[in-house]
Amino acid sequence: MSSLILPAVLNGLMMGAVYALIALGLTLIYGVLHIINFAHGSLLMLALYAAYFLFQHLGIDPYLAAVIVVPLFFGLGYALQRVVIAPMSAGSEQNVLLVTLALSLVIDNLALYFWTSNTRTVDVPYAYNTVEVFGAYLTLGRVIAFVAALVVAGLMWLFMTRTRTGAAIRAVAVEKRGAEIVGIDVGHTYAICFGLGTACVALAACLLLPTFYVTPQVGYTFVLVAFTTVVMGGMGSLPGALIAGLALGVIEALGGLFLGESLGQIGIFVAFILTLLFRPSGLLGRRPA
Amino acid sequence: MTHTINRRGLLKASGAVALTGALMSPAILRAQTAAIKVGVLEPLTGNLAYNGNQCVAGARFAAEAINAAGGIKSMGGAPIELVVVDAESRPEVAAAAVDTLVEAGVCAFTGSSASALGLASSQAAAKYDLAQVFSVGTAEAIVERGLPNVFRFTPGVEKISAVAMENLGLLNAAAGNPVKTAAIVHEDGPFGSQLSGIVEEALPQLGITVVEKIAHPTPHRDFNNIALRVKASEADILIPTNYLNEYTLMTRALQQQRVDLKAIYSVLGGAASNIKFVRENKDMAQYVIDCNHWYDPRKEQSKALAASVAAAGLDMTYDVMVAYAVIQVVADALERGASADRKAMIDALAASNFDGSIMPYGPTKFVNGDNVNSRPVNLQVRGDEIEVIFPEEYATAEPVFPRPSQG
């Protein structure tokens, strides 16, 4: 068993990067704007299908597909916030919750209607390629996702701290009314933020597709872990989401190894509860003043 | 002899034709026998939508073939008309849908892709004395309740696992017993737990030691740990019992972690019964063996069905085959009983000794609703095709066992 610990930790880190990638989009929407986006998993599923169909019908590699899918989903996210979520929720947080839940139901069932519940995968030539690290075989696709998670988290952090739009998003998150008074278009800023979050999840989908499958239910496989990652990392903290995602991947892998795969996932929730007990604002979250 | 047509003659002739027509019309109407309604209750939406829609396609192909061949001859060539109802992948909907079928006037119905749905619908149908011929329903509870309206044409989980182990023993013996140790990977729900338990008990009787048994939840996101444990166990063979999504991830992880197995031998699942999986994961799927429902590909009707399925652009899955076959069973019962009465149908099905289905079974013999002559077959992925490799009399290819080293 001891010989399996290092490979398990390394593979857990790689899986954790996927969690972090999915959570980065959610942390923007959920953490910064306080919109509980229940449709996050459904948008992940939609992006997976988009990348899948680009591969199947046009032969575009899932990694290259990101060039098309990411801007497309930015637009979709922007439009969803402006046309569906904002008008239907009328500013109420409870209504936002219901609207995003309804959105997820509609998206999931439309996917089921049009594409059936059958499992689909892409057969890319590098699907079985691995990278050997300290004698452990790591899936190439997961290594790429790991590097991408670090890069995207860095870029997102730079965007939020160094650009005017990022400053506007932070301002809206802290004091919506005040931001309005100083001339920030709150509706547009919300939509930009939602678009960015959706673009992040679209990128995660493109990076996930070579190593995973697509079904209309695939979003549920990740969305609970993504919410856990956001809260555990500290709501709104992009580096926090990255660290929490990686940590949860390792915890899950070691839990599976020592407690059995069925019980192993309990480690995620134990870690989550312990974090909230000892650090209620999350790993890198700001403590209330 | 010459005939001249004058006005009087024309009137006489017209009158005769009109009279003959009037007298003959009831006879013509009698010849156009009313269609016999047969229900098809399948999940057309929800999680099982793919299987359900495949089943409906299979049922339609069967009804078309039967009608094209002259319908139910003992009932004046009456055609079969399918009444398709959606079970929505939910047992309570499946039960409620029985009322719709009864109101539509079906003589019997087929369905419902999953044991949970079939258990609910057959229980509801019992109140109406309405026969259900199961398409797919492997849980033994289906035939253990003593319901007279239940007919399971295909094998259940106990028979499938017993045949799977028997065939594994024969394959291993024929190859000089290269497989001595096994790892079992199963989903931790009722399906995987029950099946893996039976397999675990049976393997030592074949001289195969179980060196690793790993349960996992559904869905499961990462199979690297499992692949590492299977690798560390140095098992010769892997016997997985899980659903397709997890099966896909598992075989990928095995390949990525370079786990060299002499065989992957699944029971009720896996690459070797899913042509879509074979298409999308060609290398990974090669030589995978599965024990599952399948038709006899050598029969003419099977070939015709395969051609129809290909022409319709559908996947040839066991759902299509099984649904086709159960409509054949219902049609045979109608033919023998010459009645669309619900109770008469139950009697006709209970006495069925039908030997003309596309499945590789002997004559139908329902004992407590279970067809004792049903049986699964072993399939193996070879190139782009799913071949029957066992039993020999239905085989389309020689088994490759053990498979070539993947290292």
Side-chain angles (χ1 to χ4, degrees):
Chain A
M1 185 69 90
S2 60
S3 64
L4 300 183
I5 292 174
L6 181 65
V9 168
L10 291 173
N11 276 308
L13 271 177
M14 300 302 116
M15 196 66 208
V18 175
Y19 298 158
L21 264 174
I22 297 168
L24 283 174
L26 196 61
T27 206
L28 261 184
I29 300 167
Y30 179 41
V32 180
L33 298 183
H34 314 299
I35 292 176
I36 300 168
N37 181 21
F38 273 119
H40 198 69
S42 306
L43 290 169
L44 173 73
M45 174 270 290
L46 264 190
L48 278 162
Y49 270 109
Y52 172 81
F53 286 122
L54 284 172
F55 178 81
Q56 281 302 108
H57 299 302
L58 301 174
I60 299 173
D61 186 273
Y63 293 133
L64 275 179
V67 179
I68 301 167
V69 177
V70 171
L72 192 75
F73 272 71
F74 174 81
L76 175 68
Y78 187 96
L80 276 179
Q81 170 60 24
R82 281 238 101 142
V83 181
V84 181
I85 298 170
M88 292 179 105
S89 64
S92 153
E93 284 192 15
Q94 291 93 324
N95 289 358
V96 168
L97 194 138
L98 289 174
V99 171
T100 57
L101 186 63
L103 252 182
S104 81
L105 290 174
V106 170
I107 294 171
D108 292 354
N109 283 288
L110 282 176
L112 202 56
Y113 179 77
F114 286 113
W115 304 318
T116 78
S117 61
N118 202 27
T119 299
R120 295 158 202 251
T121 50
V122 294
D123 193 11
V124 287
Y126 51 82
Y128 311 118
N129 288 5
T130 48
V131 178
E132 196 177 345
V133 181
F134 301 123
Y137 294 108
L138 306 177
T139 310
L140 178 65
R142 292 275 165 83
V143 175
I144 293 171
F146 178 78
V147 175
L150 298 179
V151 172
V152 172
L155 287 175
M156 290 295 290
W157 182 78
L158 283 174
F159 173 79
M160 291 295 285
T161 54
R162 303 289 162 87
T163 66
R164 282 181 68 83
T165 313
I169 291 172
R170 284 185 291 124
V172 170
V174 174
E175 182 47 66
K176 188 172 141 189
R177 196 94 182 106
E180 247 171 353
I181 290 166
V182 296
I184 294 172
D185 182 344
V186 171
H188 174 69
T189 309
Y190 264 64
I192 289 273
C193 193
F194 207 93
L196 276 174
T198 311
C200 276
V201 89
L203 178 65
C206 294
L207 292 163
L208 188 61
L209 188 62
T211 56
F212 217 75
Y213 58 82
V214 198
T215 69
Q217 295 84 30
V218 71
Y220 298 110
T221 312
F222 290 97
V223 77
L224 190 59
V225 183
F227 271 106
T228 311
T229 306
V230 171
V231 180
M232 192 170 149
M235 283 166 57
S237 169
L238 295 167
L242 179 66
I243 292 167
L246 296 176
L248 288 179
V250 175
I251 290 164
E252 185 183 35
L254 290 178
L257 199 62
F258 290 107
L259 302 173
E261 297 298 320
S262 295
L263 208 55
Q265 290 185 8
I266 208 170
I268 290 180
F269 303 105
V270 171
F272 178 64
I273 291 165
L274 287 175
T275 307
L276 291 187
L277 263 179
F278 294 106
R279 207 176 158 78
S281 55
L283 292 173
L284 298 185
R286 269 179 299 198
R287 286 162 191 253
Chain B
M1 195 175 176
T2 55
H3 293 279
T4 51
I5 299 175
N6 53 24
R7 194 170 65 90
R8 187 177 294 238
L10 188 65
L11 278 172
K12 276 183 185 171
S14 303
V17 167
L19 184 66
T20 310
L23 290 171
M24 288 294 287
S25 58
I28 293 167
L29 287 175
R30 271 198 301 275
Q32 287 173 335
T33 312
I36 302 164
K37 291 180 178 174
V38 175
V40 177
L41 176 61
E42 295 288 355
L44 309 180
T45 53
N47 289 340
L48 295 159
Y50 179 74
N51 304 81
N53 283 292
Q54 287 286 98
C55 279
V56 169
R60 286 198 200 284
F61 287 127
E64 280 166 19
I66 291 160
N67 293 343
I72 307 300
K73 293 177 187 71
S74 69
M75 297 174 76
I80 285 179
E81 181 188 326
L82 299 182
V83 178
V84 178
V85 179
D86 184 6
E88 295 180 23
S89 304
R90 290 156 57 195
E92 70 277 16
V93 176
V98 170
D99 293 333
T100 310
L101 290 170
V102 171
E103 277 174 30
V106 302
C107 63
F109 70 103
T110 66
S112 313
S113 277
S115 299
L117 302 179
L119 280 164
S121 60
S122 55
Q123 193 87 37
K127 291 183 291 186
Y128 296 106
D129 289 325
L130 179 63
Q132 174 170 1
V133 184
F134 277 74
S135 49
V136 175
T138 53
E140 297 305 340
I142 288 168
V143 289
E144 285 172 351
R145 295 167 299 168
L147 294 177
N149 65 317
V150 165
F151 299 93
R152 184 170 68 183
F153 183 59
T154 50
V157 69
E158 283 178 9
K159 185 185 284 180
I160 291 169
S161 48
V163 171
M165 289 301 101
E166 186 188 329
N167 290 352
L168 174 61
L170 292 168
L171 283 168
N172 200 27
N177 292 309
V179 169
K180 292 182 173 52
T181 55
I184 297 172
V185 173
H186 68 94
E187 66 94 30
D188 59 9
F191 161 62
S193 301
Q194 187 188 1
L195 207 52
S196 63
I198 298 171
V199 167
E200 189 180 16
E201 271 183 34
L203 283 170
Q205 291 156 38
L206 303 176
I208 298 171
T209 308
V210 177
V211 290
E212 185 67 278
K213 188 179 181 204
I214 308 166
H216 66 78
T218 305
H220 194 52
R221 292 176 288 260
D222 187 13
F223 275 83
N224 276 298
N225 266 355
I226 291 175
L228 288 168
R229 281 176 63 182
V230 172
K231 190 178 184 180
S233 75
E234 296 183 348
D236 293 323
I237 189 172
L238 174 67
I239 303 182
T241 303
N242 43 21
Y243 297 108
L244 188 60
N245 295 346
E246 283 66 38
Y247 197 97
T248 306
L249 296 181
M250 180 190 68
T251 39
R252 281 192 172 189
L254 290 169
Q255 195 114 340
Q256 285 155 351
Q257 296 299 336
R258 293 165 170 71
V259 185
D260 198 12
L261 295 156
K262 290 193 171 82
I264 298 179
Y265 187 98
S266 53
V267 187
L268 280 178
S273 58
N274 189 305
I275 192 68
K276 201 169 174 55
F277 182 89
V278 175
R279 266 204 312 266
E280 291 178 356
N281 304 276
K282 206 178 284 178
D283 293 340
M284 199 167 80
Q286 291 308 307
Y287 306 112
V288 168
I289 299 175
D290 187 27
C291 187
N292 215 320
H293 310 288
W294 208 255
Y295 68 170
D296 180 351
R298 303 162 316 151
K299 289 183 177 172
E300 287 307 316
Q301 279 181 309
S302 302
K303 289 174 187 168
L305 172 62
S308 304
V309 169
L314 294 170
D315 294 328
M316 191 54 169
T317 61
Y318 68 74
D319 313 279
V320 174
M321 302 167 190
V322 167
Y324 187 100
V326 291
I327 292 291
Q328 288 184 304
V329 173
V330 171
D332 176 73
L334 281 166
E335 196 69 82
R336 287 166 197 258
S339 169
D341 174 71
R342 296 202 295 256
K343 283 204 93 163
M345 277 302 288
I346 289 179
D347 293 341
L349 283 164
S352 175
N353 61 351
F354 178 49
D355 199 14
S357 88
I358 59 169
M359 303 305 276
Y361 304 163
T364 311
K365 186 181 177 191
F366 288 113
V367 175
N368 297 324
D370 199 15
N371 179 13
V372 294
N373 287 330
S374 65
R375 64 167 159 181
V377 300
N378 276 45
L379 308 156
Q380 187 171 37
V381 181
R382 305 285 284 280
D384 295 336
E385 303 292 327
I386 293 173
E387 304 283 2
V388 177
I389 55 160
F390 220 83
E392 266 176 37
E393 62 261 43
Y394 303 113
T396 53
E398 286 284 316
V400 174
F401 187 94
R403 67 177 183 175
S405 173
Q406 308 287 298

